[in-house]
Amino acid sequence: MLKVGLALGGGGARGIAHIGVIKQLHRAGMRFHCIAGTSAGAIIGAIYTHYQDPAVIEGKLLAMIGSREFRSIKLDYIRGRRAEKGSFLESVRRHFFTGMFYASSLTRLSFVKEQTYRRLIDMLIDDVLIESLPMKFSAIAVDILRGRVVSIDRGSLREAIMASSAIPGVLPAVQKDGMMLVDGSLIDTVPVRYARQLGADLVIAVDVASQLDVIDRPTRGLDLIWRANGILRHIVKEEQLTSADIIIRPALNDLEWTDFSKYRELIDLGVREAELQMDRLSDLMKSKEQGGLYAADRH
C-alpha cells in the first residue's frame, strides 16, 4: 500500500490553514503513514496524529486562542506592522507592546515565560510518548548551540512541539540532552525530507509561510534586516520543496503570522486549496501506486 506522508510547514497563525487542508484530505478518505511538522505544522500535525480527528484539532486550538493565558501574551502586537491602522489609541498600544518586546530581548531570552508557554501547550495535547502514537511523527527543531536541524521522533510529544515552535526571542527554548532547541522554521520551513525519512512514498507538502513579494524601497536598517532574512528563508524553503510530490499552498496573501483572529478564514482557505488539488493528488497517487514516473508532476 502506498505510504502517504504530510510535511506541514511553519507560519505562526497562518499555520491554522493546516487544519483546513487536513479536514479536506480526511473528508476525502485519505489516511497518512506519517507526519513531519515544523513549528505551527508540528503543533497541528501532533494533535492530528494523536487524536485522528480534524474536529478535535479545531476545537482545541480555538479553546487555546480564546484562553486568558493566550490573550495575555499579546503576540499580535510584536511585529507592529499594522500600527498605522485603526484608532490613535490602538496605534499607541501597538507601539507600546512592540517596545516591550524589544526591551525584553535585552534582558531575558524570551518574551513569553516558560510557565505560560507550557500551560498553552498543555491545553492542546496530552503528554504522551511519540513512539506510542498511531502513526509516525516527527517535530523539527534547531539546536541553536550547534547550529543543526534536529528531528524529534521519540520522547514527550509536548516537549517536541514546544521545541519545534519556540520562536527565538518570543517563546522559550527547550533544553534537551545538552541541546538548546528553537523553532525549526529557521532552517527547515517545510520538512519534506523528514517525511521521507519516516517512510513516506509520496509526500504532500503544505506551505503556509509568507511568500516573497516585491516591496517598496526600505527606509530603515531594521527593514533591511527583515527583508534579507526573508529572502534567505524563502530561497532555502523553495529548494526544500522541490523534493515534494505535491505542494498545497493556501492563498493566505498578507495575513500576519501573529494574527490569530482570522482563524475561521484561515481554515476555510486551507479547505479550499486542498479541494482544488484533490483531482491532481488522486491522479498522482494512482500513478505512484502503479509504479509510474511521477517526477514530472511535481511543482
Side-chain angles (χ1 to χ4, degrees):
M1 180 178 292
L2 185 67
K3 296 177 180 177
V4 179
L6 274 179
L8 304 179
R14 296 165 64 93
I16 296 173
H18 287 313
I19 299 175
V21 172
I22 292 174
K23 181 184 290 188
Q24 176 58 30
L25 297 178
H26 187 94
R27 184 186 298 152
M30 188 170 295
R31 298 298 180 265
F32 307 103
H33 169 74
C34 60
I35 296 179
T38 296
S39 196
I43 293 173
I44 302 300
I47 301 173
Y48 180 73
T49 302
H50 181 38
Y51 297 105
Q52 306 276 291
D53 186 348
V56 173
I57 311 176
E58 186 172 350
K60 285 184 170 291
L61 194 69
L62 297 189
M64 185 203 73
I65 292 172
S67 69
R68 179 181 302 176
E69 288 89 346
F70 187 81
R71 292 195 302 271
S72 72
I73 64 179
K74 302 185 184 302
L75 280 179
D76 55 331
Y77 289 134
I78 288 176
R79 291 284 297 273
R81 287 175 57 185
R82 294 188 302 279
E84 73 282 359
K85 298 183 179 180
S87 67
F88 173 74
L89 179 59
E90 182 70 7
S91 177
V92 171
R93 290 180 66 199
R94 287 189 183 279
H95 282 298
F96 174 72
F97 283 105
T98 300
M100 283 182 58
F101 166 66
Y102 286 118
S104 74
S105 68
L106 298 176
T107 58
R108 61 177 193 256
L109 285 174
S110 66
F111 181 66
V112 177
K113 295 179 180 179
E114 182 176 350
Q115 184 179 16
T116 301
Y117 189 29
R118 287 191 178 277
R119 284 201 299 266
L120 293 172
I121 295 298
D122 289 353
M123 295 179 195
L124 296 174
I125 198 80
D126 295 333
D127 194 14
V128 299
L129 295 176
I130 296 174
E131 50 267 38
S132 72
L133 296 171
M135 73 174 78
K136 293 184 178 181
F137 174 79
S138 175
I140 310 306
V142 171
D143 177 6
I144 207 76
L145 302 181
R146 296 168 180 80
R148 64 181 184 182
V149 179
V150 177
S151 173
I152 308 172
D153 56 11
R154 299 186 65 81
S156 167
L157 185 60
R158 281 180 179 170
E159 185 176 70
I161 63 176
M162 282 185 67
S164 182
S165 57
I167 304 168
V170 180
L171 298 171
V174 171
Q175 310 292 332
K176 177 179 173 63
D177 301 330
M179 299 181 290
M180 188 175 184
L181 300 175
V182 299
D183 194 319
S185 291
L186 287 177
I187 299 176
D188 213 315
T189 304
V190 188
V192 177
R193 61 172 172 152
Y194 293 100
R196 296 267 185 221
Q197 289 180 10
L198 291 174
D201 300 314
L202 183 150
V203 176
I204 303 169
V206 186
D207 177 20
V208 296
S210 298
Q211 299 306 303
L212 192 68
D213 298 321
V214 176
I215 64 170
D216 295 330
R217 186 181 297 273
T219 59
R220 303 180 303 169
L222 185 60
D223 296 329
L224 284 173
I225 293 171
W226 279 112
R227 180 62 173 176
N229 180 65
I231 291 171
L232 176 61
R233 293 177 64 181
H234 175 78
I235 292 173
V236 171
K237 180 194 70 175
E238 291 301 312
E239 176 61 28
Q240 292 165 345
L241 284 170
T242 60
S243 62
D245 294 289
I246 190 166
I247 302 168
I248 296 178
R249 186 175 275 148
L252 305 181
N253 302 318
D254 60 349
L255 291 171
E256 286 277 1
W257 71 269
T258 56
D259 188 358
F260 287 82
S261 68
K262 294 183 174 63
Y263 55 86
R264 296 292 183 192
E265 180 182 350
L266 287 160
I267 292 172
D268 290 343
L269 289 169
V271 170
R272 187 180 310 165
E273 188 59 31
E275 285 178 331
L276 293 174
Q277 296 282 359
M278 285 308 302
D279 288 344
R280 185 168 176 272
L281 179 56
S282 178
D283 291 342
L284 189 57
M285 291 177 66
K286 289 177 183 176
S287 175
K288 184 68 172 175
E289 288 171 342
Q290 294 167 1
L293 295 176
Y294 62 98
D297 288 322
R298 296 175 182 165
H299 276 312

